[in-house]
Amino acid sequence: MKLTTIGTGTAAPHPARVASAHLVEAGPVRLLLDCGSGAVHRMAQLGLAWSDITHVALTHFHADHIADLPMLVMGWRWGQLPPRSEPVTVYGPPGTGALIERMAGVYGSWLLSPGFPLTVREIAADEVVHLPGGVDLQTCAVPHTAESVAYSISEGTRRLVYTGDTGVSDALGRWAHGCDVLLAECSLPDTMAIREHLTPRQVGALAAQAEAQRLVLTHFYSPVEAVDIAAEVAEHYAGPVVCATDGWSIDF
């Protein structure tokens, strides 16, 4: 399994970080987790095979996590020759279907019928989605917006958990227990803490509760980058910590 952090930024424009997007490659699966603003062009800049993505999974409906989805579909249809013919499935929490329909109302009906099979599937909280090659996808509700979910991607004994945007959640820590990689948001310093996001110390507590083998941090607003993130995380979590940048990757 390979993780590439495509976009490690937020809604705040940043010279080096585009908005949320992460690529997980496992067997035949090329799963894009979120598709925030700037993600599609960042993939091209990084030399990633954006045309080979097989699945997209959305954590919630804020623009910094979904804004480039129409751009991605447009790129598959009109940004390459020959146009895409392979099917794609877009996963998300309840409400994803209605979201895509609203997007099509703005951008055009091609978003629903782009010339290749495009399926939108909403995942229930207790559902396990079996992807090709023995890859399993699951969700866990998290406290951010009404629809927000975290994702678990597992292949054999390997498991990655992506928090999406979340506040403090004991349920998330229990659900993520034992994961090989915890890809977690780290939005704000303690002085700006809000219930919808995590600070470095809160992320450290989450990783410790989950007993994650490795913690990879993303979704940085500029103020949090002014503190010693690793040191604050280490007050609670003793494992390896990475403050990801756009284009960072790991095979595990």
Side-chain angles (χ1 to χ4, degrees), residues 50-248:
W50 57 271
S51 60
D52 293 341
I53 290 169
T54 57
H55 304 79
V56 179
L58 306 177
T59 59
H60 66 293
F61 307 152
H62 282 163
D64 60 327
H65 292 255
I66 65 168
D68 251 22
L69 182 60
M71 185 69 181
L72 181 58
V73 176
M74 177 175 274
W76 285 331
R77 175 61 181 86
W78 288 290
Q80 59 183 357
L81 289 174
R84 186 185 184 108
S85 59
E86 294 299 312
V88 177
T89 302
V90 177
Y91 293 100
T96 300
L99 170 74
I100 304 300
E101 289 179 0
R102 291 195 299 272
M103 282 183 165
V106 174
Y107 292 105
S109 60
W110 58 265
L111 188 58
L112 297 174
S113 301
F116 56 87
L118 177 65
T119 302
V120 179
R121 180 174 173 187
E122 298 178 353
I123 306 179
D126 58 350
E127 184 178 6
V128 179
V129 177
H130 301 294
L131 304 181
V135 178
D136 288 339
L137 183 67
Q138 293 179 274
T139 65
C140 174
V142 294
H144 181 66
T145 64
E147 74 279 352
S148 291
V149 295
Y151 281 100
S152 168
I153 305 96
S154 58
E155 179 194 29
T157 62
R158 299 303 185 190
R159 184 183 180 214
L160 179 148
V161 171
Y162 170 45
T163 67
D165 285 6
T166 184
V168 173
S169 172
D170 287 339
L172 175 60
R174 292 191 298 270
W175 183 74
H177 190 267
C179 63
D180 294 277
V181 173
L182 178 62
L183 176 61
E185 74 127 274
C186 185
S187 294
L188 297 167
D190 286 343
T191 56
M192 299 177 66
I194 58 176
R195 63 182 182 180
E196 292 86 3
H197 286 294
L198 296 177
T199 70
R201 290 185 174 92
Q202 290 169 339
V203 174
L206 173 66
Q209 181 189 7
E211 297 186 1
Q213 296 299 306
R214 181 182 299 271
L215 176 61
V216 178
L217 302 177
T218 185
H219 203 266
F220 304 102
Y221 280 93
S222 293
V224 79
E225 296 186 273
V227 305
D228 190 339
I229 293 173
E232 293 187 5
V233 168
E235 293 177 17
H236 298 278
Y237 174 68
V241 180
V242 174
C243 292
T245 55
D246 290 14
W248 179 86

